[in-house]
Amino acid sequence: MTLCMTMCLGDYVPVGQGLCVSVHVRLCVPINLEREDATCMGVWNCIYLTLYLSVAEGAWYCGKGPELGIRRPEFKFWLCHLIVVWSLVNPFTSLSLSFLMCKMRRMDLSYFQLWHLLCSLHPLAMGLLLDSHRRRALARLLLRLNTPLCVVSYLAGVFWFLGLAFSPLTQNTYISENAMGSTMVEEQFEGGEHALNFARDFTAQRRKTGSLPVAWLERTMRSVGLEVYSQSFSRTLPFPDETHERYMVSGTNVYGILRAPRAASTESLVLVVPSSPETLNAQAVGLLLSLAAYFRSQIYWAKDIIFLVTEHDLLGTEAWLEAYHDVNITGMQSSALQGRAGAIQAAVALELNSDVVTSLDVAVEGLNGQLPNLDLLNLFHAFCQKEALLCTLQGKLQHSDWASLGGSLHGLQTLMLMVLRQASGRPHGPHGLFLRYHVEAITLRGINSFRQYKYDMTAVGKTLEGMFRKLNNLLERLHQSYFFYLLPSLSRFVSIGLYMPAIGFLLFIPGLKALELWVKLNKADFGPEEQLGPNHSLVQPFGQDARGVALTPLVAPVLISQATGLALYLLPVMGQHVAAQHFPVAEAEAVVLTLLAIYVAGLALPHSTHRVVSSTPRGPDSGWMALKLVALLYLAIQLGCISLFNFSLGFLLAVTMVPAAALTQPSGPRFLYAVLLVLVSPGATLLGSLFLWRELQEAPLTLAEGWQLFLSALAQGVLDHHLYGALLFPLLSLGLYPCWLLFWNVLFWK
Amino acid sequence: MLSKCVVDCPELCLAYLTSFPSPSVWQDQAEQLFKSGHTNNWAVLVCTSRFWFNYRHVANTLSVYRSVKRLGIPDSHIVLMLADDMACNPRNPKPATVFSHKNMELNVYGDDVEVDYRSYEVTVENFLRVLTGRVPPSAPRSKRLLSDDRSNVLIYMTGHGGNGFLKFQDSEEITNVELADAFEQMWQKRRYHEMLFIIDTCQGASMYERFYSPNVMALASSQVGEDSLSHQPDLAIGVHLMDRYTFYVLEFLEEIHPASQANMNDLFQVCPKSLCVSTPGHRTDLFQRNPQNVLITDFFGSVRKVELTTETVSLKPDLSSMGYSHLKCHEDEELAEPLSYAAQLPVAQIIHQKPKPKEWHPPGGFILGLWALILMVFFKTYGIKHMKYVF
């Protein structure tokens, strides 16, 4: 990103630079980048490269040749040709490299990275070679075309995103993993009744003991032939969780291992059922036990199977996962595990609360927007079709006709729901916590609605049997299919190569605006005497030159904004007791109210910062321009980074914040700008997202309900961060909120 | 013994030959007998694929193994290479079996399977070493292809392939050029008399298109650009049991018995496109005999049917068609002189048996004359005194 910044500041040539660099970073970031993701990105990379290279070449030939200090004509000649040849070779090499990656499944990425590093050095060289006349012409062009370009780019980004659910951008899903192949399984599970008996016993025992009936579970698991262990854990929450009514939590996880009869215990699969006081999941526990008994009688297992029942839903799962991998990252106290079964290859979480189901809903969004490999979902979908089950995604059935407008709009609705859920960064089911350990996992929820046709436990059991039988055939972790995707329906998906341009278009705007500001700050007076290239002009702002940016007045607003962000992050949880003592509120309320108070107090900052800032001698506008320049770059970098690991969050923030950020200035209709800025602040975006979410789910909120939901979402967000390590809260409080405050400062600049 | 006799001295053996009702049929049969000049049979059966989902490739190879063994080639003459052990795979719900048909009537794993190269021993290097005989001295007899110039060799390969290559394990591949060169080396080292090459893989025809050694007949399951398809999906085992081509080849071979007269043309008809989906291909241009006269058992079996007769059959002395090489050999012996080491090698025979188109070359005198003309023209034009400008 430093490179990106250098280039935005340094030369005007690489129009698609921000995109390119973000793609480069994209390539370096994900450790689980695989074939298909890479191919798509490779292709897009090529398009970006060709785009900005052609601009660069054009600029080179338009100019009369560089007025650099190079004397020898042949040197210039060779340099010129080297660059032309390089740029010709460039896209082809990229293409062939991505093709290579296509062919070899697990290619070392280092060559690819090396090449892209070289490619990104190219425009730097071009910038050095550009002469000052061209530079001035480009600067003028940039100033003239800036606003239309921004508008076009914003519209392109938004419409690209809305178009994702339509047919040219979505593809049909398919199972890529050869080892799983098809649904060739003869399901023989007949233990539906058995499962219901187990479920009734479990409920009775649960009522008797008042908590998870550990002894009964252990006895039953042992009786069906598993190796049984239990694990106790306890955790004191940072503040009382009012939604789940818990504060000091202690519980026990019970798990049984079915050892593969003819294989070493090096790999395992997990079937996990979360049980908590409010959702008992008795039928799921019953089905788990019944499946365990059936699986025990089969001899074809090549992986151990762990049947896990966790208490206090996600807390238990987190405790078990941490103990299994022998790490402690969230301050959970738990006893060590007595039995293990090798590396977990895949996990399925099951939530059933009725004796019959009308449909199965599948949840994929995990912690911090991580997604399981698409093949796992494909496998589930394939078995849904085979068993003729009704399967839903985001609670939405598939539209029968994809090609029609109605079908596409339905897909868009489902896709929006997924984007909202992914952006929240919460684990939407126990599977979400497995993803952190690179264990592919999904959660299946049985839904019992008013539909006529019901499926019994046997049908659900058969689906699970089929999935486990196929997962058992795996030879490696699931890696063949996509890790980054959006789903407009179960049978269709949008790959990373197709949705990334949407955010690319949006992030183009802060880059353009920053360039415009930079040109304005330098008064566009690049005289012919300035021949030292962008590196020199980069240094200039720190010098005493009259042109350029004065950075010293910016230190105070930036520091104060960051400090506010830090306070927003730390104070609510740290000061809850103080707040609870002095005000008549409970701890949980205190946290949320402190959060809101600090957030709103931030709005008053510009008035106080001005006292710190001394007046600038450089003219009336240079102060806010410099601040806005820094803020724009800060925003672009943050959004770029966020969209790399959680596209949905990045996109939601970008689509709201970018236009307001681009418009903000201390002149003009300031009140309008202020309203707009408040409306797009991270908190308001969260509130809006909640309303949109319920609207899309066809359960609209009233204002009061919405406010209540907003308050509980704030508390849950803070809790998720402390309990599971969700990153949304620190990202917003430490990153985007201070950035937003900078724009607020710009707006009220005096 | 008898077969040896047949080749060495056909005239003497005629008296013991098959008894048939009509003399012309006797004659045909007798000629048929002499046309295949082999005395022993060998088979190299290779499955190059690992992993459970490639069950079908192991079943393919084992089904060919079963056929050649049933038709009489002993384990000592079969080099069986299996890249994975499906019978003992923990995912196999029917342990210690490999089935070729979903009705589970044919367990091709059988009771005694002698796998000579297994799992990670199945490499391109080992395969080429087996073919060319360059195995280390420590290699046991069972891991060697001890064939000679009177051996008919059957080579069967299956696995995942593409245009011009066949993948071994998950890490390397053999190309069609390498394979063709290996066969040529076998020919030069006199390691076969005739060879039948069968391959069941995607774009299989690409594997034999580079062959250039004589006496090789080749079959493939699919043309270039075509995939070979699997057959017999089995829900209980959870994988495909066989590939289409080999499935129908096996069905065909199950009908063959050691005395059957089915010939290669019948084998070419196996698995038409309607059944195979892919188009099986074959190549016979390198092979010296008419495929119609080549019995299936020439390659898949090693038993010769011998019946005694009291009748005398007189054969036409058609030397060119019946083992001229054999007579050639006699002539060579008659001309025998004290031989140098190089002369002991059957160079003449090799050259003769391998018809290579001779490149046309202008006669030496013509070239000499041309040069003389050039020089003459040169001196005529410039004279001798200008020589110093030339150099």
Side-chain angles (χ1 to χ4, degrees):
Chain A
M1 293 324 277
T2 334
L3 197 63
C4 170
M5 218 168 137
T6 319
M7 286 170 180
C8 287
L9 292 170
D11 59 51
Y12 308 127
V13 179
V15 178
Q17 195 59 62
L19 294 178
C20 275
V21 176
S22 77
V23 175
H24 295 159
V25 175
R26 188 82 195 80
L27 280 171
C28 311
V29 168
I31 43 165
N32 47 14
L33 183 81
E34 288 300 341
R35 182 179 57 165
E36 276 148 349
D37 300 315
T39 319
C40 289
M41 286 197 295
V43 171
W44 272 108
N45 218 355
C46 289
I47 293 170
Y48 292 146
L49 280 174
T50 5
L51 206 141
Y52 83 75
L53 282 175
S54 49
V55 173
E57 300 312 333
W60 168 257
Y61 281 117
C62 288
K64 302 279 187 298
E67 309 283 4
L68 294 173
I70 304 165
R71 293 279 171 268
R72 294 170 59 198
E74 61 277 20
F75 179 72
K76 252 196 277 185
F77 173 81
W78 280 117
L79 202 62
C80 165
H81 276 261
L82 189 75
I83 286 164
V84 172
V85 169
W86 189 4
S87 67
L88 281 178
V89 169
N90 234 342
F92 294 115
T93 320
S94 285
L95 259 183
S96 58
L97 272 173
S98 52
F99 175 74
L100 260 180
M101 292 191 66
C102 225
K103 205 177 162 200
M104 299 182 218
R105 273 174 299 152
R106 285 198 159 274
M107 183 192 157
D108 189 2
L109 276 175
S110 56
Y111 291 108
F112 212 21
Q113 284 167 10
L114 187 73
W115 181 254
H116 282 277
L117 197 70
L118 283 176
C119 289
S120 55
L121 286 177
H122 176 199
L124 204 66
M126 287 309 304
L128 277 170
L129 290 171
L130 271 184
D131 68 320
S132 49
H133 298 288
R134 300 301 328 154
R135 181 179 290 236
R136 214 153 29 178
L138 268 171
R140 274 199 297 274
L141 194 71
L142 201 71
L143 284 178
R144 206 168 57 229
L145 288 181
N146 200 294
T147 313
L149 266 179
C150 284
V151 171
V152 166
S153 184
Y154 185 75
L155 289 179
V158 171
F159 281 107
W160 189 287
F161 176 78
L162 292 178
L164 286 181
F166 291 82
S167 60
L169 292 180
T170 56
Q171 305 161 44
N172 283 321
T173 53
Y174 52 91
I175 295 184
S176 301
E177 177 59 77
N178 238 336
M180 291 199 304
S182 55
T183 54
M184 239 193 288
V185 176
E186 192 175 31
E187 292 91 345
Q188 291 170 324
F189 176 73
E190 291 295 344
E193 286 303 314
H194 206 40
L196 289 182
N197 289 338
F198 276 130
R200 278 189 280 275
D201 286 358
F202 176 75
T203 319
Q205 294 287 336
R206 178 77 179 70
R207 211 170 287 137
K208 205 189 286 175
T209 52
S211 63
L212 194 73
V214 176
W216 180 83
L217 267 175
E218 284 183 342
R219 204 168 54 240
T220 318
M221 280 186 176
R222 212 164 273 133
S223 74
V224 300
L226 303 182
E227 231 182 273
V228 187
Y229 304 96
S230 62
Q231 178 215 16
S232 57
F233 64 92
S234 67
R235 176 82 162 94
T236 307
L237 272 49
F239 57 90
D241 182 354
E242 293 196 324
T243 325
H244 298 98
E245 290 170 359
R246 57 191 183 191
Y247 181 47
M248 289 164 78
V249 179
S250 67
T252 312
N253 297 325
V254 184
Y255 64 102
I257 302 174
L258 165 59
R259 298 283 177 197
R262 287 185 285 145
S265 292
T266 51
E267 293 177 339
S268 59
L269 304 171
V270 174
L271 178 62
V272 52
V273 171
S275 180
S276 58
E278 60 262 35
T279 47
L280 208 51
N281 278 334
Q283 280 77 6
V285 174
L287 188 56
L288 174 134
L289 292 170
S290 177
L291 272 175
Y294 170 69
F295 283 0
R296 177 72 175 80
S297 63
Q298 304 303 318
I299 58 163
Y300 43 66
W301 299 112
K303 296 175 173 42
D304 292 359
I305 302 179
I306 303 176
F307 296 92
L308 168 67
V309 179
T310 62
E311 204 175 356
H312 298 297
D313 49 48
L314 294 188
L315 281 177
T317 315
E318 178 68 29
W320 188 82
L321 274 171
E322 284 188 12
Y324 195 90
H325 295 99
D326 209 9
V327 290
N328 192 347
I329 37 184
T330 58
M332 183 81 69
Q333 277 107 39
S334 62
S335 60
L337 294 191
Q338 299 301 312
R340 282 189 174 76
I344 304 173
Q345 303 293 302
V348 177
L350 190 62
E351 295 181 6
L352 294 173
N353 274 309
S354 54
D355 286 358
V356 286
V357 296
T358 50
S359 61
L360 278 181
D361 189 51
V362 58
V364 286
E365 302 87 357
L367 188 69
N368 294 326
Q370 275 184 299
L371 297 171
N373 193 284
L374 190 56
D375 263 345
L376 190 59
L377 195 74
N378 292 342
L379 185 70
F380 168 70
H381 182 53
F383 275 100
C384 264
Q385 285 179 323
K386 189 185 176 196
E387 310 284 332
L389 278 177
L390 209 54
C391 292
T392 58
L393 183 74
Q394 320 289 354
K396 300 258 177 206
L397 277 173
Q398 291 206 61
H399 203 276
S400 50
D401 182 16
W402 252 105
S404 70
L405 183 70
S408 295
L409 287 177
H410 185 80
L412 183 63
Q413 212 177 353
T414 318
L415 187 131
M416 280 299 298
L417 275 171
M418 176 172 177
V419 165
L420 288 173
R421 276 172 74 162
Q422 196 189 9
S424 77
R426 304 190 63 191
H428 288 272
H431 76 281
L433 299 173
F434 283 83
L435 297 176
R436 178 193 277 160
Y437 300 92
H438 202 342
V439 175
E440 308 313 322
I442 51 174
T443 296
L444 307 182
R445 288 197 179 91
I447 309 281
N448 193 13
S449 70
F450 301 110
R451 270 175 197 275
Q452 203 73 49
Y453 198 82
K454 313 269 187 190
Y455 300 93
D456 59 354
M457 285 298 120
T458 309
V460 181
K462 277 186 174 176
T463 310
L464 284 168
E465 183 200 350
M467 287 179 69
F468 271 84
R469 186 80 193 275
K470 281 293 153 192
L471 289 172
N472 178 50
N473 283 358
L474 282 183
L475 301 156
E476 307 170 70
R477 285 175 188 280
L478 284 170
H479 65 279
Q480 299 271 13
S481 194
Y482 294 83
F483 283 97
F484 302 93
Y485 51 85
L486 294 176
L487 296 166
S489 100
L490 265 179
S491 60
R492 295 176 76 86
F493 76 105
V494 186
S495 78
I496 180 169
L498 289 172
Y499 66 64
M500 275 316 257
I503 189 100
F505 280 123
L506 292 184
L507 292 187
F508 193 40
I509 299 169
L512 267 182
K513 278 284 166 196
L515 277 180
E516 185 197 19
L517 284 174
W518 176 255
V519 174
K520 277 184 182 165
L521 276 171
N522 283 300
K523 307 277 190 296
D525 53 354
F526 294 98
E529 74 281 359
E530 195 216 39
Q531 287 169 352
L532 288 165
N535 290 337
H536 184 69
S537 60
L538 236 194
V539 181
Q540 269 179 352
F542 303 99
Q544 298 303 311
D545 198 4
R547 305 191 302 264
V549 190
L551 286 183
T552 34
L554 305 185
V555 172
V558 170
L559 279 184
I560 289 173
S561 306
Q562 282 298 334
T564 320
L566 198 65
L568 188 66
Y569 176 65
L570 291 177
L571 283 185
V573 176
M574 281 168 68
Q576 53 173 321
H577 301 296
V578 183
Q581 275 168 12
H582 293 279
F583 299 98
V585 285
E587 267 94 348
E589 286 170 353
V591 170
V592 175
L593 292 179
T594 322
L595 208 62
L596 284 175
I598 298 175
Y599 194 88
V600 175
L603 301 186
L605 270 185
H607 304 289
S608 41
T609 43
H610 289 143
R611 301 201 187 112
V612 192
V613 181
S614 57
S615 64
T616 51
R618 287 158 206 276
D621 283 344
S622 77
W624 72 262
M625 277 186 174
L627 185 59
K628 193 180 167 186
L629 175 64
V630 170
L632 278 171
L633 291 178
Y634 190 33
L635 180 71
I637 289 168
Q638 279 192 50
L639 290 180
C641 293
I642 290 173
S643 65
L644 295 187
F645 73 89
N646 188 345
F647 165 79
S648 303
L649 181 60
F651 183 81
L652 275 187
L653 290 170
V655 84
T656 50
M657 277 185 84
V658 161
L663 285 175
T664 307
Q665 55 187 30
S667 55
R670 275 167 80 166
F671 180 70
L672 199 68
Y673 288 155
V675 171
L676 192 61
L677 255 188
V678 170
L679 280 182
V680 301
S681 76
T685 307
L686 176 61
L687 186 65
S689 300
L690 284 175
F691 278 102
L692 180 62
W693 181 51
R694 294 299 290 265
E695 188 67 42
L696 287 170
Q697 279 196 329
E698 286 153 17
L701 287 170
T702 60
L703 269 179
E705 280 171 353
W707 183 251
Q708 282 305 316
L709 198 63
F710 176 63
L711 293 183
S712 74
L714 286 181
Q716 288 301 312
V718 179
L719 269 180
D720 279 349
H721 171 59
H722 287 280
L723 292 183
Y724 314 122
L727 286 174
L728 183 69
F729 176 53
L731 268 180
L732 291 187
S733 60
L734 294 176
L736 278 153
Y737 178 65
C739 182
W740 180 84
L741 277 182
L742 289 182
F743 286 107
W744 191 253
N745 265 306
V746 169
L747 186 61
F748 293 104
W749 190 268
K750 282 173 191 159
Chain B
M1 271 314 290
L2 184 65
S3 58
K4 188 79 178 165
C5 169
V6 166
V7 175
D8 286 344
C9 42
E11 312 91 86
L12 296 180
C13 289
L14 280 183
Y16 308 109
L17 275 170
T18 49
S19 65
F20 288 104
S22 133
S24 65
V25 176
W26 291 338
Q27 194 164 331
D28 285 351
Q29 292 298 327
E31 282 179 5
Q32 179 77 37
L33 192 63
F34 295 127
K35 270 176 192 148
S36 130
H38 71 288
T39 62
N40 55 71
N41 278 81
W42 288 82
V44 181
L45 313 175
V46 192
C47 157
T48 63
S49 302
R50 287 190 78 72
F51 307 135
W52 173 243
F53 61 92
N54 290 321
Y55 184 98
R56 58 184 189 277
H57 293 155
V58 174
N60 286 346
T61 315
L62 283 172
S63 66
V64 177
Y65 173 79
R66 170 197 154 81
S67 299
V68 296
K69 212 166 149 182
R70 189 175 58 81
L71 290 170
I73 304 183
D75 263 329
S76 60
H77 281 208
I78 303 173
V79 181
L80 179 60
M81 306 174 106
L82 293 183
D84 207 347
D85 184 2
M86 292 310 164
C88 296
N89 193 301
R91 295 168 181 88
N92 193 344
K94 297 182 170 63
T97 59
V98 174
F99 285 98
S100 69
H101 200 293
K102 58 184 166 190
N103 64 12
M104 299 297 153
E105 65 186 13
L106 190 56
N107 172 16
V108 287
Y109 198 65
D111 298 325
D112 54 339
V113 174
E114 194 182 300
V115 184
D116 301 306
Y117 287 82
R118 59 192 304 155
S119 61
Y120 287 113
E121 286 176 344
V122 182
T123 57
V124 173
E125 184 186 334
N126 277 347
F127 174 63
L128 292 180
R129 282 184 183 281
V130 165
L131 289 188
T132 55
R134 297 172 193 274
V135 286
S138 60
R141 278 184 76 88
S142 65
K143 292 195 169 197
R144 292 165 186 255
L145 178 67
L146 294 167
S147 56
D148 55 28
D149 63 336
R150 294 285 113 193
S151 305
N152 272 10
V153 181
L154 165 72
I155 295 182
Y156 175 85
M157 303 182 85
T158 184
H160 289 285
N163 192 350
F165 69 90
L166 177 70
K167 196 174 79 167
F168 266 67
Q169 307 277 356
D170 226 16
S171 51
E172 52 178 354
E173 58 265 331
I174 189 169
T175 63
N176 49 4
V177 178
E178 285 170 324
L179 197 62
D181 287 345
F183 286 175
E184 174 63 14
Q185 208 176 111
M186 285 175 78
W187 174 252
Q188 291 193 5
K189 292 175 82 176
R190 310 185 69 185
R191 286 176 63 75
Y192 72 84
H193 172 252
E194 284 171 337
M195 185 188 290
L196 178 65
F197 175 79
I198 304 180
I199 187 160
D200 187 345
T201 179
C202 296
Q203 317 204 30
S206 67
M207 286 306 283
Y208 62 58
E209 64 189 12
R210 298 299 180 96
F211 290 174
Y212 55 96
S213 312
N215 288 351
V216 176
M217 193 187 298
L219 288 96
S221 60
S222 55
Q223 297 297 328
V224 178
E226 279 184 341
D227 285 345
S228 289
L229 289 124
S230 54
H231 203 25
Q232 304 289 322
D234 185 87
L235 293 179
I237 299 178
V239 285
H240 288 272
L241 298 188
M242 278 275 254
D243 279 317
R244 283 178 178 268
Y245 180 71
T246 311
F247 179 81
Y248 290 106
V249 167
L250 176 66
E251 207 174 67
F252 170 76
L253 289 176
E254 287 294 296
E255 301 296 315
I256 303 288
H257 53 88
S260 58
Q261 295 297 305
N263 60 42
M264 282 299 159
N265 275 345
D266 299 328
L267 186 61
F268 296 158
Q269 304 307 317
V270 163
C271 200
K273 195 171 162 66
S274 54
L275 293 174
C276 246
V277 184
S278 59
T279 323
H282 55 85
R283 182 175 172 189
T284 52
D285 58 325
L286 296 165
F287 207 73
Q288 313 253 334
R289 292 192 286 155
N290 185 347
Q292 199 180 354
N293 299 330
V294 183
L295 297 181
I296 297 295
T297 47
D298 281 357
F299 289 100
F300 284 90
S302 70
V303 195
R304 199 76 43 87
K305 187 180 176 190
V306 173
E307 283 181 32
L308 297 182
T309 175
T310 51
E311 309 272 337
T312 309
V313 183
S314 60
L315 294 173
K316 278 179 280 178
D318 185 4
L319 297 183
S320 62
S321 69
M322 45 180 276
Y324 59 86
S325 61
H326 166 73
L327 287 186
K328 202 87 180 169
C329 190
H330 276 284
E331 282 168 21
D332 285 350
E333 277 169 25
E334 283 163 20
L335 296 173
E337 287 169 16
L339 292 168
S340 64
Y341 175 72
Q344 288 180 29
L345 297 174
V347 177
Q349 205 175 6
I350 291 167
I351 293 171
H352 190 84
Q353 281 211 0
K354 210 177 88 179
K356 259 194 176 167
K358 237 181 138 185
E359 277 178 45
W360 183 83
H361 199 269
F366 173 75
I367 294 175
L368 251 166
L370 197 70
W371 271 111
L373 193 73
I374 291 170
L375 283 176
M376 271 170 62
V377 170
F378 181 82
F379 287 124
K380 185 87 184 156
T381 322
Y382 297 107
I384 196 85
K385 62 183 179 206
H386 291 290
M387 276 306 270
K388 61 171 181 279
Y389 299 116
V390 178
F391 299 107

